[in-house]
Amino acid sequence: MHILHVVGARPNFMKAAPVIRALEKWPEARQTLVHTGQHYDRNLSDVFFSQLNLPEADVNLEVGSGSHAWQTAEVMTRFEPVALERKPDVVVVYGDVNSTVAAALVCSKLLIRVAHVEAGLRSFDRAMPEEINRIVTDRLADMLFTPSEDGDSNLQREGIPLEKIHFVGNVMIDSLVRLLPLAAQCPKNGLPERYALVTLHRPSNVDDGASLRGILEALLELNEQLEVVFPVHPRTRQRIGQFGINVEKLRLLDPLPYIEFLALQRRAAVVITDSGGIQEETTYLGVPCLTLRSNTERPVTVSLGTNVLIGQDLGRIPSEVSKILDGKGKKGTLPPLWDGHAAERIVKALYCHRDVSFTQTD
Ligand code: UD1
């Protein structure tokens, strides 16, 4: 079986790595890795390839940045000839980024089977570009691998036939489990004993001057109570400069490699974020997480894990942080099948269902 993986942006890499590793153990699996080039900075891309032991991409589409329509269209245009030439039996797409939906669209029109890893997640907020990518990708996919049972319910409600849906658990946690021992050995690099780790990159938080300013002011205030450590996404760095906001007092870092970021997360007193994946990682690590969004496509991190949705209510940050520092933060439990073996279940399903026809409709 020829399996072609499409990755493009930072959150794809830790999801693809375990699947590729698990497939390497199947002698009859031939694999091709396509990088769309959606993320191209060394510290958003290359460094993840090396730390996650991803093989070098067979093809890099070098798409780069642009508007959503441009970026999605560019991935489609550049990926179509690759799919035609390589003739994979199945194309595996990951998560919810523009590269994911673009590859799914190309393959479904070429009648190439699509497998979607991290299917079924819904924020029910169509103002979020990723929500559109999730809905479209799931609608087109032939095999849908869900990380949590809410994903199965969402897909069934949308009319996706049961036989296409496979609850396999969280593949991103596979990478975390594997590399956590290395993260535990990372030096502290002069970090304080207690700190708040912050990440911020959602367009809804950072593209609007007033909203970004409000969040950064709340963080500056928090910094008086608990030191803020903030690895800054390039998009956010650009906006801080553009809006002329003074954040000198915060400890700003460049985006960090996977293992170093994991090390920061496991030692953090609290994580404040608008990322999807970090809500999951903190739940696994048992580290309290305050999410600067009013909804989440990962509700198990709230119902079972350590996540609290703060939304726009920035005034809640000091009291939530005080609660956490007093040891009264959410403790949380592990969601089912977040056990480091999701990729093995994906590979088994890929093989067991290899003959499922792509023409099967829903
Ligand atoms: C993308 C994903 C988002 C994911 C995030 C993780 C979509 C719709 N969004 O958002 O789901 O959580 O990745 O980082 O696919 N840039 C660089 N260097 C790079 C890449 C981007 O400087 O290597 C800058 C560019 O100015 C670019 C901006 O970041 O315009 C945004 O990049 P883009 O890929 O469009 O989306 P992200 O915000 O990174």
Side-chain angles (χ1 to χ4, degrees):
M1 182 155 65
H2 179 192
I3 300 114
L4 187 151
H5 309 263
V6 178
V7 293
R10 182 170 60 178
N12 290 156
F13 307 136
M14 51 290 245
K15 294 166 196 166
V19 179
I20 292 172
R21 280 172 82 81
L23 277 165
E24 280 165 359
K25 297 189 186 129
W26 288 68
E28 67 272 45
R30 184 156 68 83
Q31 304 194 68
T32 299
L33 179 58
V34 174
H35 189 330
T36 65
Q38 176 173 344
H39 283 176
Y40 43 85
D41 278 1
R42 193 188 132 64
N43 48 12
L44 292 191
S45 177
D46 294 3
V47 79
F48 284 78
F49 270 67
S50 57
Q51 290 201 338
L52 293 159
N53 293 112
L54 273 164
E56 202 182 319
D58 298 284
V59 181
N60 191 321
L61 305 176
E62 295 181 352
V63 164
S65 303
S67 72
H68 283 267
W70 182 90
Q71 191 176 56
T72 308
E74 203 63 18
V75 173
M76 290 181 70
T77 308
R78 296 185 192 197
F79 179 57
E80 185 182 49
V82 176
L84 281 168
E85 188 208 332
R86 303 267 173 162
K87 299 187 179 60
D89 297 302
V90 59
V91 168
V92 189
V93 296
Y94 298 86
D96 56 16
V97 303
N98 287 342
S99 300
T100 309
V101 70
L105 272 162
V106 167
C107 293
S108 55
K109 293 205 175 185
L110 295 177
L111 304 185
I112 298 170
R113 291 172 62 208
V114 175
H116 184 204
V117 173
E118 201 186 83
L121 299 187
R122 297 287 182 269
S123 65
F124 304 101
D125 174 6
R126 290 207 185 184
M128 206 183 168
E130 292 81 0
E131 181 75 352
I132 312 291
N133 295 344
R134 292 181 200 114
I135 293 168
V136 175
T137 305
D138 283 341
R139 192 70 199 167
L140 299 175
D142 301 283
M143 300 187 76
L144 298 100
F145 296 116
T146 59
S148 46
E149 286 146 310
D150 52 282
D152 295 46
S153 317
N154 291 335
L155 295 172
Q156 284 175 51
R157 203 176 38 248
E158 290 174 19
I160 307 285
L162 260 183
E163 58 273 22
K164 289 186 174 185
I165 306 170
H166 306 271
F167 171 42
V168 293
N170 192 327
V171 78
M172 204 180 62
I173 299 301
D174 292 12
S175 284
L176 189 155
V177 168
R178 192 168 76 81
L179 292 170
L180 200 53
L182 281 182
Q185 289 167 24
C186 279
K188 284 193 179 158
N189 280 340
L191 282 175
E193 208 44 53
R194 285 180 134 186
Y195 57 88
L197 175 65
V198 172
T199 80
L200 211 54
H201 76 280
R202 292 256 155 257
S204 55
N205 281 331
V206 306
D207 284 358
D208 174 67
S211 144
L212 182 59
R213 196 176 293 276
I215 294 172
L216 293 173
E217 275 165 10
L219 294 177
L220 283 163
E221 195 185 315
L222 172 66
N223 199 45
E224 307 285 318
Q225 180 189 7
L226 180 69
E227 189 165 340
V228 169
V229 178
F230 183 7
V232 192
H233 186 283
R235 161 191 218 115
T236 311
R237 172 89 63 182
Q238 217 175 316
R239 298 291 187 239
I240 292 173
Q242 182 187 333
F243 301 135
I245 308 173
N246 186 347
V247 281
E248 263 170 28
K249 286 196 180 144
L250 304 179
R251 195 188 286 233
L252 300 194
L253 310 174
D254 283 333
L256 290 170
Y258 181 73
I259 294 170
E260 283 76 1
F261 188 72
L262 211 50
L264 272 191
Q265 279 194 83
R266 65 180 280 285
R267 291 195 186 119
V270 56
V271 174
I272 302 176
T273 189
D274 61 4
S275 150
I278 293 170
Q279 296 171 51
E280 299 183 333
E281 290 172 344
T282 46
T283 275
Y284 185 87
L285 295 168
V287 173
C289 179
L290 305 180
T291 296
L292 300 181
R293 287 174 47 192
S294 43
N295 53 53
T296 179
E297 61 288 341
R298 290 156 161 99
V300 284
T301 61
V302 176
S303 58
L304 297 179
T306 57
N307 192 15
V308 175
L309 298 183
I310 294 285
Q312 317 296 320
D313 193 1
L314 302 171
R316 261 180 83 185
I317 294 179
S319 58
E320 290 293 338
V321 170
S322 297
K323 220 168 32 175
I324 290 162
L325 295 180
D326 289 344
K328 293 181 191 133
K330 276 176 94 172
K331 298 286 177 277
T333 54
L334 276 188
L337 301 190
W338 289 26
D339 59 359
H341 298 287
E344 292 153 38
R345 290 186 282 271
I346 289 173
V347 170
K348 267 193 204 137
L350 277 173
Y351 271 89
C352 291
H353 299 268
R354 70 177 105 180
D355 298 323
V356 175
S357 162
F358 56 74
T359 51
Q360 185 185 27
T361 52
D362 44 40

